[in-house]
Amino acid sequence: MELVDAQADLACVTAQNEGLQRKAHASFMRGYRALGRLHRDAEKSQTQFFKEKGVITDSSQEMTGELVAECSMPVTRVNKVIRTVARGFGITLKDTVDKHSVSHILLEGELASEIQLVSEMHNAGNLTISGDGTTNKHINLKLKHGLMVTPTYASDPDAPTMNTIPSQQFFSINTAIDHKSETQLQGWKDLIDHHAEDQKKLVHLFKSWKDSCKREMRGEEAILLASLSDLICLIWEETERNISNASGLTGWQVLSADE
């Protein structure tokens, strides 16, 4: 009888031990998988890309522009320098930026700065201009800059009015045939009249496009919030207007799907 009881106790202890072993194994596997996830996440956090879906990101473009414009980095060395610095911080770059892309980034940055400058001049209301000149190796050089009030760009760009500060802006350095006042005046005219008009028009087109996008977004929001009865009335009115523009129902019925 005692032997039977001992065997029963042993079986019970064995079952409990096996249960504890299974729990310990399950706990170990959870910890192992969690450690693997942490390791993969750490590797992912140390991996960066110049591009997203084949397009160089805005932050990469900004970094590239600063390296060339502010750090005097040659265009052909930008990719190598970025990869060297990234490697020093333990970051792996999975793609590259070649010298042609760097050149395109700089050209786009130049165009954007010109658009911004013309927009600021147009909105400033008042502008104080100044210039100076010198001669280097028998070449006349003219420098132009101005003082005006510009937005801080730290406030809300969609606000009716933005905070402004006095700002000195560099315009250009150009060659000239001589130092005569008439030549200097013509240089200012070329800067303000001819070059600026194209940029003013481009700024106006961008503003019109932005306003159009805002109207479409507000219209879409209004449609999503409108009741079904209101939508039916609007759709019916628009349908009648389209039929009328098509010279009646007969003309409407012969229109193609694209029309």
Side-chain angles (χ1 to χ4, degrees), residues 183-202:
T183 304
Q184 296 182 42
L185 177 61
Q186 186 60 46
W188 280 106
K189 287 183 177 180
D190 291 339
L191 172 69
I192 297 175
D193 294 335
H194 302 294
H195 179 71
E197 285 303 320
D198 292 339
Q199 303 303 322
K200 286 180 182 178
K201 182 178 180 180
L202 184 56

Side-chain angles (χ1 to χ4, degrees), residues 171-221:
F171 292 154
S172 65
I173 296 179
N174 304 103
T175 59
I177 57 176
D178 53 47
H179 290 295
K180 293 181 179 179
S181 300
E182 292 81 3
T183 304
Q184 296 182 42
L185 177 61
Q186 186 60 46
W188 280 106
K189 287 183 177 180
D190 291 339
L191 172 69
I192 297 175
D193 294 335
H194 302 294
H195 179 71
E197 285 303 320
D198 292 339
Q199 303 303 322
K200 286 180 182 178
K201 182 178 180 180
L202 184 56
V203 170
H204 177 71
L205 293 175
F206 270 115
K207 186 176 184 301
S208 299
W209 179 40
K210 180 180 179 181
D211 293 340
S212 176
C213 291
K214 286 185 175 180
R215 286 194 296 269
E216 290 182 7
M217 293 175 64
R218 288 195 295 267
E220 181 180 357
E221 183 179 1

Side-chain angles (χ1 to χ4, degrees), residues 62-105:
E62 183 177 355
M63 174 180 59
T64 300
E66 290 180 356
L67 283 174
V68 177
E70 299 182 14
C71 302
S72 302
M73 182 65 58
V75 171
T76 56
R77 305 296 296 172
V78 169
N79 181 69
K80 179 64 176 178
V81 169
I82 293 177
R83 300 184 74 84
T84 301
V85 174
R87 187 167 58 251
F89 284 100
I91 299 174
T92 302
L93 291 174
K94 291 295 187 179
D95 50 10
T96 61
V97 55
D98 57 27
K99 62 180 182 180
H100 301 292
S101 297
V102 175
S103 299
H104 291 162
I105 291 171

Side-chain angles (χ1 to χ4, degrees), residues 65-156:
E66 290 180 356
L67 283 174
V68 177
E70 299 182 14
C71 302
S72 302
M73 182 65 58
V75 171
T76 56
R77 305 296 296 172
V78 169
N79 181 69
K80 179 64 176 178
V81 169
I82 293 177
R83 300 184 74 84
T84 301
V85 174
R87 187 167 58 251
F89 284 100
I91 299 174
T92 302
L93 291 174
K94 291 295 187 179
D95 50 10
T96 61
V97 55
D98 57 27
K99 62 180 182 180
H100 301 292
S101 297
V102 175
S103 299
H104 291 162
I105 291 171
L106 297 178
L107 290 174
E108 291 175 1
E110 180 182 9
L111 176 60
S113 66
E114 291 177 353
I115 293 174
Q116 178 181 346
L117 177 60
V118 173
S119 177
E120 290 175 348
M121 292 172 62
H122 178 72
N123 296 326
N126 297 292
L127 171 66
T128 301
I129 59 176
S130 179
D132 199 357
T134 187
T135 300
N136 182 32
K137 297 181 179 180
H138 307 290
I139 299 177
N140 298 316
L141 300 174
K142 300 296 180 182
L143 179 145
K144 304 177 182 68
H145 59 91
L147 182 65
M148 56 187 173
V149 175
T150 62
T152 61
Y153 297 106
S155 54
D156 183 6

